[in-house]
Amino acid sequence: MSNILHAGLNCIEPILDMPTNRSIPNKRWHLAFTAIYSSRALYSLLNQKKKKSRKLPVPGNPSFVVLNVKPEAFSSIDHTTLTAIVKDKNFNKLLEFGGIEGVADALETGIKNGIDGSVNDVALRQEAFGSNTYQRPPAKRLFHFVVEAFKDLTILILIFCAALSLGFGIKENGAKEGWYNGGSIFVAVFLVISVSAVSNFRQNRQFEKLFKVSNNIKVDVVRNGRRQQISIFEVVVGDVVCLKIGDQVPADGLFLDGHSLQVDESSMTGESDHVEINSHHNPFLFSGTKVADGYAQMLVISVGMNTTWGEMMSTISRDTNEQTPLQARLNKLTSSIGKAGLAVAFLVLLVLLVRYFTGNTEDENGNQEFNGSNTKADDIVNSVVRIIAAAVTIVVVAIPEGLPLAVTLTLAYSMKRMMADQAMVRKLSACETMGSATTICTDKTGTLTLNQMKVTKFWLGQDPIEDSSLISTDLLNLIQQGVALNTTGSVYRATSGSNYEFSGSPTEKAILSWAVLELDMEMEILIKDFTILHVEAFNSEEKRSGVSIRSEADHNIVHVHWKGAAEMILAMCSSYYDASGRMKDMDDGERMTFEQIIQGMAASSLRCIAFAHKQIPEEEHEIRETSQKLEEDSLTLIGLVGIKDPCRPGVRKAVEDCQYAGVNVKMITGDNVFTATAIATECGILRPDQGINNEAVVEGEAFRNYTPEERMEKVDKIRVMARSSPFDKLLMVQCLKQKGHVVAVTGDGTNDAPALKEADIGLSMGIQGTEVAKECSDIIILDDNFASVATVLKWGRCVYNNIQKFIQFQLTVNVAALVINFVAAISAGEVPLTAVQLLWVNLIMDTLGALALATEQPTKELMERPPVGRTEPLITNIMWRNLLVQALYQIAVLLTFQFKGESIFGVNEKVKDTLIFNTFVLCQVFNEFNARKLEKKNVFKGIHKNKLFLGIIGITIILQVVMVEFLKKFADTERLNWGQWGACLGIAAISWPLGWVVKCISVSKKPFLSYLRWQEHHFLLYVCTKI
């Protein structure tokens, strides 16, 4: 035993030899590990000794001591109390903790540099305070969707019919053979419920995955002095988080530093007014709230389930049972067809009962079935049961239970494929609505362009500057101050020899990299040398940001710096600096020269940013401080920069594809009208001959000032709206919708939220989009690319088209089967297609047909059609033409078989009924090819790409052979010879040339059903005039 103990001590000896420069938490962990290892070693030795001498009594005093090795990290702070302080907004209690600085010290966080951020540090904090995740309610299980499927009215009617058929079948034919019809209906119902439940279950799981992806927000934090992006789930207590307009607050915390911070707490309190956050009166920030204005850094105090937001979200289950408009319309259609089927079945029931009780029916021997009082009661009951079974069969075939399934399959398939094509669907209805879009209002930056900005032009005064060494020292200092201190971005460099890392918006990063790399700006030194007094954060209304600063060396002078859209800053200036640093007054001629410089850069597709400055005495600043407004008059223009943001490759083709598809593309941007026009021309939104003097280009202010009548008149002609505010974008969307357009809008900013909500389809940007914009959108474009918007349009049309294909195919089956059974039942008193056979047709056509047609890929043909209007009927005249011709052909052939089939083929009645059944199924198989193309004559184009379709056709034919040849008793069929199979195939194959011929017939665009309504209206009018 001493040898084993010695070996164990040798193993832990390197661990005990700890370096002295380790951090306190690391020392604690090493001590804890040592204690655990020693305890386990001794415990193991004791167990070994027990096993060797089980009969020996255990000594009363053990020879080892169990150590309590629970980590004591952050033991100096009562986290429960601290969490309560934030939740209760208890400022006095916070002061007792030593204020924000005291809390930061207790959490071992540097206010400037954040936490250490090492793997051990993060793990320790997660163990001590929890992770930034919350418990979700358990996902709905498969059984839930099975129960939901049973609630469907169609299923309930089928179950009722199955019970009747089962009872009557057993009554008439005994339990051994009488269960076939009723049992087969039950089997069919079971399969329909199974497919529907599994499909909905998988769709729900897909939504859960999408929900996790959409919740995985990227957050800016400062760790070890470096600003970096991490997942919201990786935020820990003690983190310093950087917030800007549109961000979601990722955890509960305290305000550290920032300016003009206002937060929308409506998600927590229900109050719509924005709450001002500052370090003096209200430093409390809550998880789940949104930043409405300003920017700040916050110290994370509690995460996950310790926040009010976490507690609230853990009780909310995401409802994925959203019913799309198309699903609602299809449910209505299914209900209407079901009611028609019930009416026909009831009529058949009446006719058959009248025929029977009036003595117009004969039995197998040719004798009259009902002969008054001479007929036995048992025979009457059996005959009535047979008649009711025929009526039930008609109800079964009339109900197209595959329609809702087809929609579910199509939407689930398209959602999955759209995700692969960089589009994440948040609302199912958007899949359909996008197919009807007539206008797309798109942003410029990041959507049409790459969002990879770089400063390519720099003007001082009226001279372009190529070499920064030519700039005077004083002017260079002013430029560096204006860049370093009037920004929400940051610069990080690990060591003096390493590369710089720039963070912030693309515009901020472009300006910072230019100032650091070309002007040798030292951002850290400037931040130390100046104190920021007041900030006016950038917003999309005024398109500028400003800051007032005081030098640590001179407290008597306050410098005001402005940065923003060039023409707006220029309007605030009355003087300018030339390249040598001399200040000159700006007269009208020089102002016009600057405007021409700005227009010249804009015409080269450059975004123009101006810098301006004003020096004011401390006394004047103190007077203005009360109004919380920066000096914005009589500024001195420092310089102009031109930022290049190249167009995305392929964006021109995507725009042309949309225009070719009949969809208008409008660019709405906050940029200069010249920049906007240049980019729009480059992207193909504007023709080269459509300049700024054309009605196609307008500025936001001009559009805003139009009368409502003028806006409605001009809105269709507008292609570019420059210098627009979010309100202008909203106004544009409202006008377009009033004119009947289906509008899709892209947006990325917080202020785009109203337009995204107002639009029929809101498309937010996944990379540059704020959390507010994403929440208001229907679809998130993950790569911020306009080409992905065009792809979404194509998929939207594909969804609508696939469902129309299946409706045409399904209704052909239903109309043909209903008429055949109805005519046969009325004329001959019996139905040629039994309940089992019809359910088999419904099952293979509904389930497999839905799967085959619902998974067709988008084609170029979809983008050659005009958009589908809001009021256009789901079943178009083209579909009516196709389905009625095919259905009439099938009815004619099968009724000929019904009445003359025995003499034509020289077979008995059982074989004749099998021929009818087999021909009917094969007609549907061939017609499934016709359904692939509603208008095009070549139905085989691209079929080799759809392996699933070909596989389903093969499976259907194999199953039909099994049904006819091997399940004779169950399906009530007889085996067919090769000649009979050939005849069935030949007759079914005529569906192909017939489909080709019928597509040569042109049809009116006026909806088919409107003629019926017109006739009904005129008939009522005629009756009223006569009365």
Side-chain angles (χ1 to χ4, degrees):
M1 182 174 172
S2 59
N3 292 335
I4 297 170
L5 183 60
H6 182 69
L9 290 172
N10 286 337
C11 290
I12 64 169
E13 190 174 351
I15 300 165
L16 293 169
D17 186 23
M18 292 185 294
T20 56
N21 60 347
R22 290 191 184 275
S23 65
I24 292 171
N26 280 344
K27 282 182 181 179
R28 287 175 179 155
W29 276 110
H30 276 268
L31 285 169
F33 179 80
T34 305
I36 292 167
Y37 193 95
S38 303
S39 301
R40 290 184 63 184
L42 291 169
Y43 184 71
S44 176
L45 291 172
L46 182 69
N47 278 348
Q48 286 179 21
K49 192 173 180 181
K50 278 184 180 179
K51 286 175 184 176
K52 288 178 183 177
S53 55
R54 283 185 181 274
K55 294 180 182 179
L56 295 174
V58 179
N61 296 317
S63 58
F64 61 92
V65 178
V66 178
L67 300 175
N68 180 5
V69 294
K70 183 181 177 181
E72 296 183 358
F74 307 106
S75 58
S76 62
I77 189 165
D78 182 357
H79 187 242
T80 306
T81 308
L82 191 58
T83 301
I85 288 172
V86 178
K87 285 183 180 178
D88 301 337
K89 292 190 175 183
N90 193 331
F91 193 74
N92 293 329
K93 197 76 175 174
L94 176 64
L95 294 177
E96 290 178 18
F97 265 84
I100 297 167
E101 293 79 7
V103 173
D105 288 341
L107 293 175
E108 299 178 17
T109 299
I111 289 177
K112 295 294 182 186
N113 293 333
I115 63 173
D116 174 62
S118 65
V119 176
N120 287 344
D121 184 33
V122 171
L124 191 64
R125 291 172 186 274
Q126 285 180 338
E127 185 182 349
F129 306 118
S131 62
N132 199 28
T133 55
Y134 49 86
Q135 297 170 354
R136 298 280 303 155
K140 293 173 182 174
R141 297 184 179 277
L142 181 61
F143 180 73
H144 169 84
F145 295 100
V146 172
V147 173
E148 287 296 314
F150 267 109
K151 294 178 182 177
D152 186 71
L153 180 62
T154 306
I155 297 296
L156 293 174
I157 293 171
L158 286 173
I159 290 171
F160 178 71
C161 292
L164 284 178
S165 183
L166 188 65
F168 293 150
I170 293 172
K171 173 73 177 66
E172 187 176 3
N173 301 314
K176 191 174 182 180
E177 294 185 359
W179 68 272
Y180 289 148
N181 281 2
S184 65
I185 299 174
F186 272 121
V187 169
V189 167
F190 170 76
L191 288 173
V192 168
I193 286 173
S194 299
V195 173
S196 179
V198 169
S199 179
N200 287 330
F201 174 69
R202 290 189 64 186
Q203 184 177 309
N204 184 68
R205 285 295 173 92
Q206 197 172 334
F207 261 114
E208 289 292 332
K209 288 178 183 176
L210 289 176
F211 188 61
K212 286 177 182 175
V213 171
S214 63
N215 274 1
N216 189 15
I217 301 163
K218 295 298 178 184
V219 179
D220 279 352
V221 298
V222 178
R223 288 184 175 179
N224 201 22
R226 178 188 176 194
R227 185 164 166 173
Q228 55 191 282
Q229 274 200 340
I230 62 170
S231 165
I232 190 172
F233 304 128
E234 295 171 2
V235 172
V236 294
V237 170
D239 259 325
V240 173
V241 177
C242 304
L243 300 172
K244 61 183 183 299
I245 295 177
D247 283 352
Q248 177 178 314
V249 179
D252 286 1
L254 298 170
F255 177 93
L256 283 177
D257 186 26
H259 298 279
S260 311
L261 186 67
Q262 291 195 333
V263 173
D264 177 6
E265 294 185 353
S266 58
S267 58
M268 301 291 294
T269 63
E271 296 292 334
S272 57
D273 293 338
H274 295 160
V275 179
E276 187 175 347
I277 307 295
N278 53 53
S279 56
H280 305 300
H281 306 292
N282 181 25
F284 306 105
L285 288 154
F286 295 98
S287 177
T289 58
K290 307 290 190 301
V291 178
D293 197 10
Y295 61 90
Q297 288 186 334
M298 68 169 279
L299 174 65
V300 175
I301 297 301
S302 48
V303 294
M305 291 301 294
N306 293 321
T307 66
T308 308
W309 180 256
E311 291 171 2
M312 185 171 68
M313 290 303 289
S314 65
T315 62
I316 298 173
S317 62
R318 182 176 171 82
D319 185 17
T320 56
N321 294 329
E322 171 201 358
Q323 191 177 61
T324 71
L326 191 55
Q327 282 177 320
R329 288 170 75 183
L330 280 177
N331 286 342
K332 191 176 178 182
L333 178 65
T334 305
S335 178
S336 300
I337 295 170
K339 287 173 185 175
L342 282 169
V344 171
F346 184 70
L347 183 62
V348 167
L349 182 64
L350 283 178
V351 171
L352 292 181
L353 287 173
V354 169
R355 279 172 56 89
Y356 175 74
F357 286 111
T358 54
N360 289 320
T361 56
E362 296 177 346
D363 60 17
E364 294 173 357
N365 301 319
N367 299 321
Q368 186 176 320
E369 280 191 303
F370 182 76
N371 194 11
S373 58
N374 295 328
T375 309
K376 294 179 182 178
D378 200 38
D379 291 339
I380 294 172
V381 169
N382 286 338
S383 297
V384 169
V385 164
R386 192 176 67 251
I387 290 169
I388 292 172
V392 166
T393 302
I394 288 172
V395 175
V396 168
V397 75
I399 297 172
E401 64 273 11
L403 286 180
L405 179 62
V407 182
T408 303
L409 287 172
T410 304
L411 290 174
Y413 176 74
S414 62
M415 273 181 65
K416 191 173 182 181
R417 294 307 301 265
M418 284 168 78
M419 190 72 175
D421 288 339
Q422 302 299 315
M424 187 175 79
V425 179
R426 295 184 74 251
K427 293 181 182 175
L428 268 179
S429 56
C431 286
E432 303 159 10
T433 315
M434 193 66 192
S436 305
T438 58
T439 303
I440 298 174
C441 299
T442 177
D443 284 337
K444 176 186 77 71
T445 306
T447 308
L448 298 173
T449 61
L450 283 168
N451 216 8
Q452 294 173 359
M453 300 191 184
K454 185 180 180 182
V455 174
T456 58
K457 292 283 185 183
F458 177 44
W459 290 71
L460 276 179
Q462 297 171 4
D463 302 315
I465 302 296
E466 300 292 337
D467 185 1
S468 61
S469 63
L470 301 175
I471 306 171
S472 70
T473 306
D474 290 341
L475 188 55
L476 186 63
N477 289 338
L478 279 180
I479 296 168
Q480 290 177 348
Q481 289 170 26
V483 173
L485 303 171
N486 186 14
T487 183
T488 55
S490 65
V491 179
Y492 174 78
R493 196 180 193 187
T495 60
S496 59
S498 61
N499 293 329
Y500 287 99
E501 291 180 20
F502 302 98
S503 60
S505 69
T507 306
E508 295 284 11
K509 286 195 285 187
I511 294 171
L512 285 171
S513 63
W514 164 72
V516 169
L517 301 176
E518 295 192 23
L519 304 184
D520 298 323
M521 182 182 78
E522 296 285 349
M523 191 162 177
E524 286 188 12
I525 295 173
L526 286 165
I527 291 171
K528 289 176 183 175
D529 289 349
F530 289 87
T531 302
I532 295 175
L533 303 174
H534 183 68
V535 171
E536 283 196 24
F538 179 87
N539 66 65
S540 51
E541 293 283 349
E542 297 183 344
K543 304 188 188 306
R544 66 186 188 185
S545 64
V547 62
S548 60
I549 58 174
R550 184 197 292 119
S551 170
E552 295 295 332
D554 186 358
H555 288 265
N556 296 321
I557 298 296
V558 171
H559 299 271
V560 176
H561 284 275
W562 284 97
K563 174 183 73 180
E567 65 268 32
M568 294 191 172
I569 297 296
L570 181 64
M572 298 159 63
C573 296
S574 60
S575 57
Y576 68 96
Y577 291 107
D578 64 12
S580 62
R582 286 176 300 185
M583 187 187 296
K584 294 184 177 180
D585 290 334
M586 189 185 298
D587 57 24
D588 291 342
E590 286 168 327
R591 187 178 297 276
M592 189 173 292
T593 303
F594 280 114
E595 287 173 356
Q596 288 170 352
I597 292 169
I598 292 167
Q599 289 173 16
M601 283 198 285
S604 302
S605 305
L606 299 182
R607 171 177 281 188
C608 306
I609 305 293
F611 295 91
H613 166 260
K614 187 172 186 179
Q615 191 170 293
I616 59 175
E618 173 66 21
E619 299 81 21
E620 188 179 331
H621 175 263
E622 287 175 357
I623 294 169
R624 293 190 64 87
E625 189 72 15
T626 55
S627 65
Q628 292 289 304
K629 278 285 186 182
L630 291 177
E631 183 76 40
E632 53 186 54
D633 300 321
S634 303
L635 304 180
T636 303
L637 183 68
I638 297 175
L640 302 166
V641 294
I643 301 175
K644 182 68 176 175
D645 185 12
C647 281
R648 285 183 180 273
V651 76
R652 187 180 184 90
K653 185 179 183 307
V655 169
E656 287 172 354
D657 287 346
C658 290
Q659 291 171 338
Y660 187 66
V663 179
N664 295 318
V665 180
K666 301 180 188 292
M667 186 175 85
I668 303 176
T669 178
D671 270 347
N672 180 299
V673 67
F674 297 98
T675 308
T677 304
I679 293 287
T681 306
E682 194 177 339
C683 293
I685 294 171
L686 284 177
R687 297 192 306 274
D689 60 324
Q690 290 178 312
I692 59 172
N693 297 321
N694 193 286
E695 284 186 320
V697 182
V698 69
E699 286 195 325
E701 187 178 0
F703 183 74
R704 202 182 315 141
N705 293 332
Y706 287 152
T707 63
E709 293 76 20
E710 285 177 321
R711 274 198 295 269
M712 294 297 284
E713 181 190 343
K714 299 184 182 217
V715 71
D716 281 332
K717 299 173 186 175
I718 295 170
R719 291 287 175 271
V720 174
M721 186 157 69
R723 283 293 177 235
S724 66
S725 69
F727 175 75
D728 299 328
K729 185 184 275 192
L730 176 62
L731 204 56
M732 169 78 83
V733 173
Q734 289 170 339
C735 288
L736 288 167
K737 286 183 73 176
Q738 285 171 25
K739 293 207 75 174
H741 288 277
V742 179
V743 187
V745 169
T746 69
D748 55 9
T750 304
N751 292 327
D752 288 328
L756 288 169
K757 278 187 176 179
E758 180 70 24
D760 296 288
I761 313 105
L763 303 159
S764 65
M765 300 297 110
I767 299 171
Q768 288 300 319
T770 63
E771 294 312 310
V772 174
K774 288 176 187 175
E775 273 195 14
C776 294
S777 65
D778 305 306
I779 297 173
I780 299 175
I781 305 300
L782 298 175
D783 61 354
D784 290 16
N785 193 344
F786 185 82
S788 298
V789 177
T791 305
V792 170
L793 176 68
K794 195 185 291 184
W795 268 110
R797 292 190 173 191
C798 182
V799 167
Y800 198 85
N801 191 53
N802 284 353
I803 290 168
Q804 282 187 317
K805 290 175 188 177
F806 182 73
I807 290 171
Q808 176 187 297
F809 173 68
Q810 172 81 69
L811 291 187
T812 305
V813 179
N814 287 91
V815 169
L818 194 61
V819 172
I820 292 161
N821 270 15
F822 175 69
V823 173
I826 295 292
S827 58
E830 59 182 17
V831 289
L833 296 169
T834 66
V836 174
Q837 291 169 353
L838 285 172
L839 279 166
W840 169 249
V841 171
N842 262 18
L843 189 64
I844 62 170
M845 294 305 116
D846 289 358
T847 309
L848 297 179
L851 195 60
L853 294 171
T855 54
E856 286 277 353
Q857 299 268 353
T859 60
K860 288 182 180 178
E861 298 160 12
L862 293 172
M863 300 297 274
E864 293 171 0
R865 304 176 193 167
V868 178
R870 284 181 191 275
T871 56
E872 190 166 325
L874 192 58
I875 306 176
T876 63
N877 286 0
I878 290 168
M879 293 166 66
W880 280 118
R881 176 196 67 189
N882 296 343
L883 78 87
L884 287 176
V885 169
Q886 292 289 346
L888 287 172
Y889 168 69
Q890 292 175 22
I891 290 165
V893 168
L894 298 180
L895 286 179
T896 303
F897 279 17
Q898 171 66 16
F899 296 111
K900 299 290 182 181
E902 292 178 37
S903 58
I904 291 171
F905 291 99
V907 293
N908 60 31
E909 188 179 358
K910 202 75 181 282
V911 175
K912 177 203 74 175
D913 287 344
T914 304
L915 284 168
I916 291 173
F917 168 58
N918 200 36
T919 304
F920 183 60
V921 170
L922 291 175
C923 278
Q924 312 320 320
V925 171
F926 281 87
N927 192 36
E928 201 161 350
F929 287 86
N930 289 328
R932 290 189 69 244
K933 307 286 181 184
L934 298 178
E935 297 179 63
K936 298 290 180 182
K937 293 174 185 174
N938 183 6
V939 296
F940 303 105
K941 186 178 179 182
I943 198 167
H944 62 283
K945 295 178 182 176
N946 195 341
K947 301 289 192 297
L948 182 62
F949 182 89
L950 294 173
I952 286 171
I953 293 294
I955 290 168
T956 304
I957 292 171
I958 291 167
L959 290 174
Q960 178 62 15
V961 171
V962 170
M963 194 76 171
V964 171
E965 299 294 325
F966 302 105
L967 298 176
K968 298 193 317 182
K969 235 175 186 181
F970 179 76
D972 199 18
T973 57
E974 287 291 325
R975 301 187 77 167
L976 302 178
N977 60 38
W978 287 105
Q980 289 162 346
W981 269 101
C984 293
L985 282 167
I987 291 166
I990 294 173
S991 297
W992 285 351
L994 185 65
W996 189 90
V997 170
V998 79
K999 285 172 185 173
C1000 296
I1001 304 169
S1002 60
V1003 292
S1004 168
K1005 289 187 177 180
K1006 188 176 181 181
F1008 173 71
L1009 293 177
S1010 66
Y1011 289 104
L1012 300 179
R1013 286 194 290 270
W1014 183 84
Q1015 293 287 350
E1016 182 185 356
H1017 171 73
H1018 280 263
F1019 174 74
L1020 291 172
L1021 198 63
Y1022 173 77
V1023 171
C1024 290
T1025 53
K1026 291 296 180 184
I1027 293 172

